[in-house]
Amino acid sequence: MLRADARGIVVFSVKGVDALKQPFSGLKRSDHLRAMAEKELDLLVIGGGITGAGIALDARTRGLSVGLVEMQDFAAGTSSRSTKLVHGGLRYLKQLEIGLVAEVGKERAIVYENGPHVTTPEWMLLPVIEGGTFGRTGISIGLFVYDRLAGVKKEERRRMLSPEETLQREPLLRKEGLKGAGLYVEYRTDDARLTLEVLKEAVKRGALAANYAKAENLLYRDGKVAGAEVVDTLTGESHRIYAKKVVNATGPWVDELREKDGSKTGKTIQWSKGIHIVTDQKHFPLRHAVYFDAPDGRMVFAIPRDGKTYIGTTDTEYHGDLARPRMSAEDRDYLLRAVNGMFPSVRLTADQIESGWAGIRPLIREEGKPTTEISRKDEIFLSKTGLITIAGGKLTGYRKMAQRVVDRVCAELAEEGAGPFGPCVTERIPLSGGDFGGSDRFPAFVEEKAREGTGLGLDEREAQQLVRRYGTNIDKVFGLIASRGKEAEAYGLPPSLYATLIYAVEEEMAATPADFWVRRTGDLFFDIQRVKRWKEPVLACMRDVCGWDEETCSRRRADLDRCIQEATEFV
């Protein structure tokens, strides 16, 4: 039953239980799954990456009852393993992907406006090197076209720099053959937290969602898909979840679900692996984000972030384990050669790499084309059974991808007599933690709240970091620091770390230590020593909060140890 609450947010009731009142907590996962199974939903979304999260939010804002299931943790696949840029795809101009550049370029500003705490404008240098992929004229024209296609704000439009101006901004760049640089804006993001904030907003508005919930089989009525049999992989419980419409938004796994549906025909997915490596700024003291030529003509990013510099990405065809792609020594050496060629004074070595990650891009196969040349466009596949699959696409374009899917879902429901449903409104909806009344107010918010944080005993840097991570949700985190310090002492944890852990469990459905260290904080990639230092106290705390027995605790420890190994070792 649909109704509006006092704030005008549409919620639906399941046997008298408001979905809005189901906390997005790791302790309430089973409640979300049971609620999904108690009444037929309008829409079941399979896949909890950025695309699935975007679909859930869009559908809820139009009044649909929505459930979302994810077989791993939210964003555990591609959506936490990207270059962590909401970028416009400048390189796609070379492939004449004009429509793609125009769409995702404009989407960057929308993503930033709706969540400035998880998206940050980043001025990017594009060096002009004699004999490189782009000449000065080509870069100037390309960036001019890019600005116009993407509707870039006047103050963020490209500038061309002389060699002297370029080196002033980034002295580490090679001087030999340097002809200058283009300067333009991209948007750096925390991809996993962006996904979480989208999903938290959907849940706040009445969606139901659960991680570690695998759609083992699809359910059918009269030859039409009608839901999924979903297994809770942490408890073993099985749930039959029925829905009028089912969307397959499983990223690299979309063909696996299409195969179960008997609809894997026509276009299929080709997997491409990309890796990123992280080093400390003392080894690579990069001042400025740089987008540059690798020796083979591919483009590579080097980006400073929180005292680290990260470099990526590679692009190679992949045929291995989709859930646990590994970084290879060959991948690492490729990036080291690229860095040391463009920044010759750095002399970065393999033993200076602290951590890294590998991710899989699900590309729509184009016969005869290498992965580097395959379009990043998204596409919707429609099955005879009614299964709707969304494939391909880019992080930046998640909102438009979701809009196209939900437009299709609403059109089909309307044909069946449901509705009416409104248009997409997500362009104007702040994400969870992003309601500042406009991105221009974010800097003042950070300054004000950081002062509150220092009043709680935090140093200025940590206070700012927490405010930037949680945005307008920071009051909940600060409240935990203020009220539960004694509990932190019992585990030997700093109050701020304890507060972020409890918040992750109680407000962000973190169910394992890996969820916390990899996707709720990003520390596994950007502060690996912190993970190693505090992993046992965090495990002990989660054991008590979540009620784990020793066997479960051992499994969680082994899972985190495996994640640490995969982030620090090359095969």
Side-chain angles (χ1 to χ4, degrees):
M1 181 177 71
L2 293 174
R3 62 178 177 79
D5 75 349
R7 293 167 292 170
I9 296 175
V10 178
V11 300
F12 67 95
S13 296
V14 181
K15 288 191 176 178
V17 179
D18 283 345
L20 185 65
K21 293 180 181 176
Q22 295 283 349
F24 191 52
S25 166
L27 309 177
K28 298 291 185 179
R29 293 174 51 260
S30 296
D31 291 352
H32 277 251
L33 283 169
R34 292 186 195 111
M36 286 185 223
E38 285 179 350
K39 183 180 178 181
E40 184 181 49
L41 302 165
D42 292 323
L43 174 63
L44 174 63
V45 182
I46 302 175
I50 188 64
T51 306
I55 292 167
L57 177 58
D58 192 331
R60 275 305 300 136
T61 59
R62 303 199 207 190
L64 280 71
S65 57
V66 181
L68 179 147
V69 293
E70 162 58 48
M71 70 175 181
Q72 303 184 97
D73 184 27
F74 305 117
T78 305
S79 297
S80 61
R81 298 168 180 267
S82 73
T83 304
K84 306 188 187 301
L85 288 174
V86 175
H87 68 97
L90 177 63
R91 76 183 183 90
Y92 306 129
L93 278 180
K94 285 176 66 180
Q95 300 168 347
L96 299 179
E97 296 273 10
I98 304 300
L100 179 64
V101 172
E103 179 172 292
V104 298
K106 290 170 184 171
E107 283 297 301
R108 297 178 314 160
I110 295 171
V111 176
Y112 172 57
E113 192 62 36
N114 289 342
H117 62 307
V118 284
T119 311
T120 306
E122 183 90 48
W123 283 96
M124 190 79 60
L125 277 174
L126 182 56
V128 182
I129 303 293
E130 188 172 359
T133 301
F134 297 102
R136 186 177 177 88
T137 302
I139 286 180
S140 181
I141 293 171
L143 289 175
F144 175 83
V145 173
Y146 179 76
D147 283 347
R148 296 309 182 271
L149 286 174
V152 174
K153 293 182 284 189
K154 188 174 181 180
E155 62 272 20
E156 293 184 355
R157 288 181 186 168
R158 68 95 171 91
R159 292 167 49 199
M160 296 303 297
L161 306 180
S162 68
E164 295 74 25
E165 290 171 318
T166 302
L167 289 170
Q168 211 169 24
R169 286 181 176 266
E170 186 43 72
L172 294 175
L173 278 167
R174 59 182 278 189
K175 299 173 180 63
E176 182 188 351
L178 181 66
K179 301 295 184 182
L183 183 67
Y184 71 106
V185 170
E186 293 285 26
Y187 289 76
R188 180 164 54 84
T189 191
D190 184 324
D191 49 5
R193 289 208 59 81
L194 174 63
T195 303
L196 282 167
E197 302 294 32
V198 174
L199 197 50
K200 283 159 65 182
E201 188 64 30
V203 170
K204 184 179 81 173
R205 291 170 177 269
L208 294 162
N211 49 5
Y212 300 101
K214 184 177 182 181
E216 288 281 8
N217 296 294
L218 295 171
L219 302 173
Y220 295 88
R221 288 195 193 112
D222 302 322
K224 295 293 185 182
V225 69
E229 183 179 354
V230 175
V231 174
D232 183 334
T233 62
L234 298 186
T235 68
E237 278 187 76
S238 182
H239 304 269
R240 294 171 73 85
I241 299 172
Y242 286 92
K244 297 182 179 73
K245 300 295 168 185
V246 178
V247 168
N248 172 12
T250 55
W253 290 269
V254 293
D255 278 353
E256 187 177 303
L257 200 60
R258 291 170 76 204
E259 202 158 344
K260 289 183 178 182
D261 183 54
S263 59
K264 186 186 166 185
T265 59
K267 293 182 180 180
T268 57
I269 295 301
Q270 181 168 328
W271 302 315
S272 165
K273 185 180 75 169
I275 81 150
H276 296 77
I277 54 177
V278 181
T279 187
D280 195 271
Q281 281 261 307
K282 68 185 178 186
H283 301 306
F284 189 0
L286 191 70
R287 290 186 191 174
H288 208 293
V290 182
Y291 186 34
F292 63 96
D293 286 270
D296 63 358
R298 270 191 50 75
M299 301 298 290
V300 173
F301 288 100
I303 301 169
R305 171 175 162 164
D306 298 331
K308 310 293 180 182
T309 296
Y310 72 99
I311 305 117
T313 180
T314 56
D315 193 343
T316 54
E317 197 165 332
Y318 184 72
H319 301 283
D321 183 353
L322 295 179
R324 308 200 88 99
R326 298 295 302 275
M327 301 180 294
S328 72
E330 185 180 357
D331 295 330
R332 174 200 65 202
D333 293 345
Y334 171 88
L335 292 176
L336 287 175
R337 285 194 299 272
V339 166
N340 291 327
M342 186 56 64
F343 307 91
S345 65
V346 172
R347 298 187 181 90
L348 195 64
T349 60
D351 61 1
Q352 293 171 332
I353 297 170
E354 293 186 353
S355 58
W357 65 91
I360 304 301
R361 304 177 192 91
L363 308 175
I364 299 171
R365 185 182 299 276
E366 295 181 35
E367 294 301 332
K369 281 192 176 184
T371 55
T372 54
E373 294 180 15
I374 293 177
S375 171
R376 268 51 175 176
K377 283 181 181 176
D378 59 279
E379 193 163 338
I380 295 174
F381 303 149
L382 303 174
S383 152
K384 290 181 181 178
T385 67
L387 179 68
I388 300 170
T389 295
I390 177 73
K394 290 169 53 63
L395 173 72
T396 312
Y398 85 88
R399 195 192 64 83
K400 293 296 287 187
M401 291 165 65
Q403 179 180 341
R404 285 189 279 272
V405 170
V406 180
D407 282 348
R408 164 65 61 172
V409 168
C410 289
E412 291 188 9
L413 288 172
E415 287 175 8
E416 295 163 12
F421 302 107
C424 176
V425 294
T426 53
E427 181 178 352
R428 305 184 302 277
I429 290 179
L431 305 181
S432 176
D435 196 1
F436 304 99
S439 60
D440 56 331
R441 299 185 182 183
F442 181 56
F445 178 88
V446 172
E447 190 176 328
E448 176 191 344
K449 289 296 178 179
R451 282 197 298 270
E452 288 184 27
T454 56
L456 291 169
L458 303 176
D459 65 46
E460 177 71 20
R461 182 176 177 275
E462 185 177 26
Q464 285 220 9
Q465 187 180 47
L466 290 176
V467 177
R468 290 182 182 280
R469 179 189 297 167
Y470 296 107
T472 53
N473 291 321
I474 190 61
D475 287 341
K476 293 182 179 179
V477 178
F478 282 172
L480 289 167
I481 293 174
S483 65
R484 296 172 72 169
K486 291 292 184 186
E487 295 172 29
E489 287 178 18
Y491 297 101
L493 286 167
S496 59
L497 179 55
Y498 180 79
T500 56
L501 175 60
I502 296 300
Y503 181 80
V505 172
E506 294 182 351
E507 302 277 352
E508 297 185 330
M509 206 173 274
T512 75
D515 297 345
F516 176 68
W517 288 119
V518 183
R519 289 167 292 275
R520 304 308 183 277
T521 65
D523 285 345
L524 189 83
F525 299 147
F526 294 103
D527 198 348
I528 190 75
Q529 294 308 318
R530 189 170 192 245
V531 179
K532 292 176 179 178
R533 178 181 179 184
W534 298 110
K535 69 172 190 171
E536 287 301 327
V538 163
L539 182 71
C541 178
M542 290 192 77
R543 175 198 64 206
D544 293 346
V545 170
C546 300
W548 296 337
D549 57 24
E550 283 308 312
E551 182 185 351
T552 301
C553 203
S554 294
R555 286 201 305 270
R556 300 289 181 267
R557 178 184 290 108
D559 180 47
L560 179 59
D561 285 342
R562 186 166 59 247
C563 288
I564 293 171
Q565 180 184 24
E566 290 170 358
T568 55
E569 294 183 5
F570 298 85
V571 295

